[in-house]
Amino acid sequence: MLRKRSVRSVVLSDSPSTGGRSTLLIVAAFAAALLVSIQPAAAQDPLPSWNDTAPKKAIMAFVERVTKAGAPDFVPVPERIATFDNDGTLWAEQPLYFQFLFAIDRVKALAPQHPEWKEKEPFKFLLAGDLKGALAGGEHALLEIVVATHSDLTTEEFERVVKDWLAAAKHPKTGRLYTEMAYQPMLELLAYLRANGFKTFIVSGGGIEFMRAFAEKVYGIPPEQVIGSTGKLKFELRDGQPVLVKLPEIQFIDDKDSKPVAIQTHIGRRPIAAFGNSDGDLQMLQWTAAGNGARFCLYVHHTDAEREWAYDRQSSIGRLDKGLDEAKERGWTVVDMKQDWKVMYPFEKK
Amino acid sequence: MLRKRSVRSVVLSDSPSTGGRSTLLIVAAFAAALLVSIQPAAAQDPLPSWNDTAPKKAIMAFVERVTKAGAPDFVPVPERIATFDNDGTLWAEQPLYFQFLFAIDRVKALAPQHPEWKEKEPFKFLLAGDLKGALAGGEHALLEIVVATHSDLTTEEFERVVKDWLAAAKHPKTGRLYTEMAYQPMLELLAYLRANGFKTFIVSGGGIEFMRAFAEKVYGIPPEQVIGSTGKLKFELRDGQPVLVKLPEIQFIDDKDSKPVAIQTHIGRRPIAAFGNSDGDLQMLQWTAAGNGARFCLYVHHTDAEREWAYDRQSSIGRLDKGLDEAKERGWTVVDMKQDWKVMYPFEKK
């Protein structure tokens, strides 16, 4: 900020009386533009939607510790890896994971091509609007719905289907597009970390191709930094043109114990900061915390029944029970959404 | 280049007569330093170890086409993805894949802990120095050797073992460290692409953790941009400390049809340029070529029996047969190592 200010004052105070000087002014203005784009605006609050409570202070203190050249906890840029869960951490996840709401809509859209679903569980329940009946089949029913709605398409066709759904479908409570329900404080946090040399990754139980359809636009996270659950893919030539077809088989479920495995396989470097909201993220936080040097682990705790939803230990979606205990024990940062966030969603700011 | 020169001339011609001016000079010098570090040195030859033959011209013409703002084939920076095979493309692969030479050395090192190997194929052949006998068991024998030498360690222990081997083991023909046998022209190509906004990835049949142990240092490719074959990993707590243990099971073989699958899973974006040397890379090149807009596919053809090795259609290592035909048919670039490369390895330059 010091540099930026001095550049500006020079630009304003020097008058362009000579050719040399005006060149100089252009150069200085150019330098100022460069500095503005390169330097994070330190004087501006990088996290304006966070209240000035403990979590915001802890985040900023950590970033300062690891980015200050010569400091004992300095971390070189290539090692500044931060991993984020998606559902319930970067965007909302109630009343059901948004990807599952997509799958339900897709069952309805595909039903004419599957007359057998009228008689078949769990599809017949979904088609009759009986969500409870559909989910009574537990994990097996869930998987069957996801597999049926996420396969037998090429990867490009699937991307189009997801993008079309995201552009039109509305959330039952807010009436907003699902992508409008990313948490504003987390969007600021992602940008703040990146401005400080961090590479931000999603490490989520959600489907990798579902998330990639919006992660770059909504979070600024490119597809190669999105890690998630995957289905099997098959390479084939169709009329001489290569395509990748989504097969109806699960390849990898990116949850719990599998999150550190996915981080190792995909990133190959241990994060120095990790952000989650449920017990499914606990191993990712443990793995992150166990590295040498400064580490930062944060849980988003859903405490705001009014602006969002309040749930933790008893919830079937995003249960936070063991994780909450371990966070307290180990001094990890826990965000109380009601207390710590000024704004929940970007649309509240308008 | 133009901007850089004008900044310098300003710095040299203006005398620091006032406080405002000297601030300005500091700013201008700072701007110059920034520009030098940001702009690729366009006047220097970025590929000095390449002869001025067709491949070099094709590479540079392609890079110009996709990076020139406003041009019809312009590609935005985030989409400038380039994928490289490793063995035989970025470093040598004869007389055997270097990772397999590592595995043989490791069988010898581990033999005292495995007295049963004295009687067991293929290990007994390796321990008796009979490579041919060991390889007679075909793919099954190979896999058995790799699995036995690459598992039952934590990921961190394995990285240490590989790094120690790479720091000491010498290649049987050149007497050099294996990491000294990266191809100098390809190192220049990697740097040239990155200077033009490309993200460079390895997509190799080699083991992902074996390659990551040297890829950042040797190629400037960080671990998250290295994709390879993987073994299964298991997350566990040892005395409360989380570790990832390499299990004796293959998770994914990154070869042939699986290369586009790995690209989709790991990168989630189709490359615009791909580089390989064998039929194992053909599907990666096909997948790359099939995208919209400008595309670049290149095969390294091993034609230099003197400085390196000459092999293609009949070789059991790095066979290039179908790929060579398809490259000719489709007008892909084929590097004739003997004709097109001035220098093979970095150590030749000294």
Side-chain angles (χ1 to χ4, degrees):
Chain A
M1 206 49 203
L2 187 67
R3 278 170 181 159
K4 200 168 107 189
R5 227 181 282 127
S6 66
V7 169
R8 277 194 178 148
S9 66
V10 169
V11 173
L12 295 174
S13 66
D14 255 42
S15 62
S17 58
T18 68
R21 264 202 192 160
S22 67
T23 312
L24 203 42
L25 278 174
I26 292 164
V27 167
F30 185 72
L34 268 175
L35 288 167
V36 170
S37 65
I38 289 170
Q39 292 207 166
Q44 276 182 351
D45 181 353
L47 302 173
S49 299
W50 292 69
N51 285 318
D52 288 324
T53 44
K56 177 174 179 171
K57 286 175 190 161
I59 291 166
M60 296 184 72
F62 171 75
V63 169
E64 192 167 321
R65 271 174 78 190
V66 298
T67 56
K68 201 173 171 180
D73 287 326
F74 177 78
V75 175
V77 166
E79 292 168 27
R80 293 184 200 160
I81 303 288
T83 55
F84 291 80
D85 171 56
N86 183 44
D87 296 307
T89 300
L90 292 181
W91 74 355
E93 62 180 351
Q94 296 288 0
L96 272 177
Y97 298 124
F98 296 173
Q99 188 176 356
F100 194 67
L101 297 173
F102 159 78
I104 293 174
D105 282 353
R106 197 155 161 70
V107 165
K108 291 174 190 160
L110 291 174
Q113 298 160 48
H114 291 274
E116 76 280 9
W117 284 355
K118 275 186 206 143
E119 311 298 327
K120 198 182 168 194
E121 292 183 21
F123 303 99
K124 66 173 184 179
F125 292 114
L126 284 184
L127 293 174
D130 178 6
L131 185 62
K132 213 168 170 180
L135 296 181
E139 203 169 312
H140 179 73
L142 265 174
L143 268 182
E144 212 172 340
I145 292 165
V146 168
V147 163
T149 52
H150 285 64
S151 61
D152 296 328
L153 293 170
T154 69
T155 49
E156 289 178 347
E157 289 163 350
F158 182 73
E159 185 185 351
R160 175 50 40 215
V161 168
V162 175
K163 284 188 169 167
D164 287 347
W165 183 80
L166 288 171
K170 300 285 171 66
H171 187 275
K173 181 177 166 183
T174 64
R176 296 282 178 164
L177 296 176
Y178 291 97
T179 49
E180 292 181 277
M181 294 177 68
Y183 300 125
Q184 175 63 24
M186 297 306 280
L187 297 178
E188 292 168 8
L189 176 57
L190 286 167
Y192 172 59
L193 290 174
R194 289 194 293 257
N196 281 283
F198 280 77
K199 217 167 183 173
T200 52
F201 287 82
I202 290 175
V203 179
S204 167
I208 198 165
E209 289 172 331
F210 182 82
M211 294 187 289
R212 282 170 172 168
F214 65 93
E216 189 159 36
K217 200 172 156 192
V218 175
Y219 305 133
I221 298 182
E224 65 268 26
Q225 286 161 226
V226 176
I227 308 171
S229 297
T230 54
K232 286 204 174 148
L233 297 175
K234 185 172 180 285
F235 177 86
E236 59 182 56
L237 295 174
R238 288 186 178 171
D239 303 324
Q241 285 298 305
V243 292
L244 290 168
V245 182
K246 287 172 69 65
L247 300 180
E249 284 174 71
I250 300 289
Q251 169 89 10
F252 185 80
I253 301 281
D254 185 23
D255 198 27
K256 299 191 171 74
D257 281 14
S258 296
K259 288 204 174 193
V261 168
I263 287 170
Q264 176 64 20
T265 304
H266 198 111
I267 311 178
R269 182 127 59 185
R270 197 193 297 248
I272 64 167
F275 303 83
N277 78 300
S278 80
D279 285 354
D281 303 313
L282 181 56
Q283 288 84 354
M284 173 167 80
L285 270 60
Q286 289 172 334
W287 177 244
T288 300
N292 295 322
R295 301 282 148 170
F296 190 79
C297 293
L298 180 149
Y299 262 127
V300 173
H301 187 192
H302 292 264
T303 53
D304 194 331
E306 198 180 322
R307 292 186 300 172
E308 211 234 11
W309 289 269
Y311 57 97
D312 47 33
R313 296 183 192 273
Q314 307 301 326
S315 178
S316 61
I317 303 265
R319 174 172 304 173
L320 179 61
D321 181 29
K322 281 187 197 168
L324 201 53
D325 294 336
E326 190 154 335
K328 280 178 188 167
E329 223 170 84
R330 304 180 60 162
W332 293 343
T333 296
V334 177
V335 169
D336 178 331
M337 289 171 83
K338 191 172 179 176
Q339 299 298 326
D340 297 325
W341 286 359
K342 265 183 219 160
V343 168
M344 190 69 58
Y345 303 119
F347 57 79
E348 293 170 25
K349 294 197 307 174
K350 286 160 197 168
Chain B
M1 207 54 199
L2 186 69
R3 277 169 182 161
K4 200 168 107 189
R5 230 180 282 128
S6 67
V7 170
R8 275 191 180 152
S9 67
V10 170
V11 174
L12 294 174
S13 64
D14 255 44
S15 63
S17 58
T18 68
R21 266 204 190 157
S22 67
T23 311
L24 204 41
L25 279 174
I26 291 165
V27 168
F30 185 71
L34 269 176
L35 288 167
V36 169
S37 64
I38 288 170
Q39 295 208 166
Q44 276 182 354
D45 181 355
L47 303 173
S49 299
W50 293 69
N51 285 319
D52 288 323
T53 45
K56 177 175 178 171
K57 286 174 191 164
I59 291 166
M60 296 184 71
F62 170 75
V63 169
E64 193 166 321
R65 272 175 77 190
V66 298
T67 57
K68 201 172 171 180
D73 287 328
F74 177 77
V75 175
V77 166
E79 293 168 27
R80 293 184 200 159
I81 303 290
T83 54
F84 291 81
D85 171 57
N86 183 44
D87 297 306
T89 300
L90 293 180
W91 75 353
E93 62 180 351
Q94 298 286 0
L96 272 178
Y97 298 123
F98 296 173
Q99 188 176 356
F100 194 68
L101 297 172
F102 159 78
I104 293 173
D105 282 354
R106 195 153 163 73
V107 164
K108 291 174 189 159
L110 291 174
Q113 298 160 47
H114 292 273
E116 75 281 8
W117 285 354
K118 274 186 206 144
E119 310 299 328
K120 196 183 170 193
E121 292 182 20
F123 304 99
K124 67 175 184 179
F125 292 114
L126 284 184
L127 293 173
D130 177 6
L131 185 61
K132 213 168 170 179
L135 296 181
E139 203 169 310
H140 179 73
L142 265 173
L143 268 183
E144 212 172 343
I145 292 165
V146 168
V147 162
T149 53
H150 286 64
S151 60
D152 296 328
L153 294 169
T154 70
T155 49
E156 289 179 345
E157 288 164 351
F158 183 73
E159 184 185 352
R160 175 51 39 216
V161 169
V162 175
K163 283 187 169 168
D164 287 349
W165 183 79
L166 288 171
K170 300 285 172 65
H171 187 275
K173 180 177 167 184
T174 64
R176 295 281 178 163
L177 296 176
Y178 291 96
T179 50
E180 291 181 279
M181 293 176 70
Y183 301 126
Q184 176 63 24
M186 296 306 280
L187 298 178
E188 292 168 8
L189 176 56
L190 287 168
Y192 171 59
L193 290 174
R194 288 192 293 257
N196 281 283
F198 281 76
K199 217 167 183 173
T200 53
F201 286 82
I202 291 175
V203 179
S204 168
I208 198 165
E209 287 172 330
F210 182 81
M211 294 187 289
R212 282 171 172 167
F214 65 92
E216 189 158 36
K217 200 172 157 191
V218 174
Y219 304 134
I221 297 181
E224 65 269 26
Q225 287 161 226
V226 175
I227 307 170
S229 297
T230 53
K232 287 207 172 143
L233 297 175
K234 185 172 181 287
F235 177 86
E236 58 181 57
L237 295 174
R238 287 186 178 172
D239 304 324
Q241 284 298 304
V243 292
L244 289 168
V245 182
K246 287 171 70 64
L247 301 180
E249 283 174 72
I250 300 288
Q251 169 89 10
F252 184 82
I253 301 282
D254 185 22
D255 198 26
K256 299 191 173 71
D257 281 13
S258 296
K259 288 203 176 195
V261 169
I263 287 170
Q264 177 64 19
T265 304
H266 198 110
I267 309 178
R269 182 127 59 185
R270 198 193 296 250
I272 64 167
F275 304 83
N277 78 301
S278 80
D279 285 353
D281 303 313
L282 181 55
Q283 288 84 353
M284 174 168 78
L285 270 60
Q286 289 172 334
W287 177 243
T288 300
N292 294 323
R295 301 283 146 168
F296 191 78
C297 293
L298 181 150
Y299 262 128
V300 173
H301 188 192
H302 292 264
T303 53
D304 194 330
E306 199 179 321
R307 292 186 301 172
E308 211 234 11
W309 289 270
Y311 58 98
D312 47 34
R313 297 184 192 272
Q314 307 301 325
S315 179
S316 61
I317 302 264
R319 174 173 304 173
L320 179 62
D321 182 28
K322 282 185 197 168
L324 202 52
D325 294 335
E326 189 154 335
K328 281 178 189 168
E329 224 170 86
R330 305 180 58 161
W332 294 343
T333 296
V334 177
V335 168
D336 178 332
M337 289 171 82
K338 192 171 179 177
Q339 299 299 327
D340 297 325
W341 285 359
K342 266 183 217 160
V343 168
M344 191 68 60
Y345 303 119
F347 56 79
E348 292 170 25
K349 296 196 308 174
K350 286 159 196 168

